[in-house]
Amino acid sequence: MKVMAYIHSLKDKEHDRHVLGKATIIKSIGDNLYLADYNGVKCTAIFNPFVGRYFVDDIYGLHREGEY
């Protein structure tokens, strides 16, 4: 499903705030852990129910082939 999510690599470091971008949630891979795709990069994401958004980690949460 395509969603507007907070993308780690888009973070506005000058003002220390998260920035929204379009990502695709591919599937659930654990308790509140999802496989996502952002600009062709497969990575992990979590859902924050307090803000109602996904947080996609395209820097440290990169997916390696054969996982999940």
Side-chain angles (χ1 to χ4, degrees), residues 32-43:
N32 198 26
L33 185 63
Y34 301 89
L35 180 62
D37 185 309
Y38 173 69
N39 283 345
V41 176
K42 288 187 177 156
C43 51

Side-chain angles (χ1 to χ4, degrees), residues 1 9 23 25 28-29 31-32 36-37 47 49-51 55 57 62:
M1 95 181 111
S9 65
I25 302 300
S28 175
I29 54 176
D31 290 339
N32 198 26
D37 185 309
F47 182 75
F50 298 104
V51 295
F55 284 75
D57 189 357
L62 297 178

Side-chain angles (χ1 to χ4, degrees), residues 10-22:
L10 298 180
K11 184 172 183 176
D12 180 1
K13 292 178 178 43
E14 183 178 336
H15 297 102
D16 193 32
R17 59 184 166 195
H18 299 284
V19 178
L20 287 170
K22 292 181 182 178

